Amino acid sequence: MDKDKLYQLKNEATKIKPIINIGKNGITDSVVEEIKKQVKANRLVKIKMLKTSAEGEDIKTSAEKLAEATKTTLIDVRGSTVVIYR
């Protein structure tokens, strides 16, 4: 993805609210399915992750696994908020 497109998507992401919250159970199959539905409907999805949902991993590593599981592109990780795009 080129820098201009990435910059544009990050800019759009600042204007939307998190659609999905991932709690202490972490990334489950049902969470992955719900994210796939939201990505299909919205293309750009913001996800809020509980700090303890990482299961001993940092948020960035969990976000990369989540993007891989949902076949999306990881756009941004800020604090405990993740933005993915398809």
Side-chain angles (χ1 to χ4, degrees), residues 1 4-19 42-48 73-78 81-86:
M1 182 176 302
D4 290 336
K5 180 73 171 172
L6 189 62
Y7 180 76
Q8 179 187 0
L9 290 172
K10 283 183 180 183
N11 189 25
E12 284 180 42
T14 61
K15 298 172 186 167
I16 61 174
K17 294 185 187 260
I19 296 174
N42 301 316
R43 299 190 70 73
L44 186 67
V45 176
K46 189 183 267 190
I47 302 163
K48 186 85 169 168
T73 304
L74 182 62
I75 299 298
D76 197 13
V77 177
R78 290 198 182 169
T81 304
V82 177
V83 179
I84 57 175
Y85 173 77
R86 180 179 305 158

Side-chain angles (χ1 to χ4, degrees), residues 27 49 54 56-67 74 77:
I27 301 168
M49 296 179 80
E57 302 174 337
D58 63 332
I59 300 285
K60 178 110 174 135
T61 307
S62 295
E64 289 169 353
K65 287 183 180 178
L66 184 64
L74 182 62
V77 177

Side-chain angles (χ1 to χ4, degrees), residues 14-75:
T14 61
K15 298 172 186 167
I16 61 174
K17 294 185 187 260
I19 296 174
I20 297 174
N21 290 312
I22 298 178
K24 63 184 176 183
N25 292 334
I27 301 168
T28 61
D29 292 338
S30 60
V31 169
V32 170
E33 289 304 314
E34 182 60 30
I35 291 171
K36 285 181 180 178
K37 286 181 194 173
Q38 293 298 327
V39 167
K40 190 173 185 179
N42 301 316
R43 299 190 70 73
L44 186 67
V45 176
K46 189 183 267 190
I47 302 163
K48 186 85 169 168
M49 296 179 80
L50 189 65
K51 286 180 178 36
T52 57
S53 70
E55 299 151 1
E57 302 174 337
D58 63 332
I59 300 285
K60 178 110 174 135
T61 307
S62 295
E64 289 169 353
K65 287 183 180 178
L66 184 64
E68 188 177 312
T70 57
K71 296 178 180 70
T72 56
T73 304
L74 182 62
I75 299 298

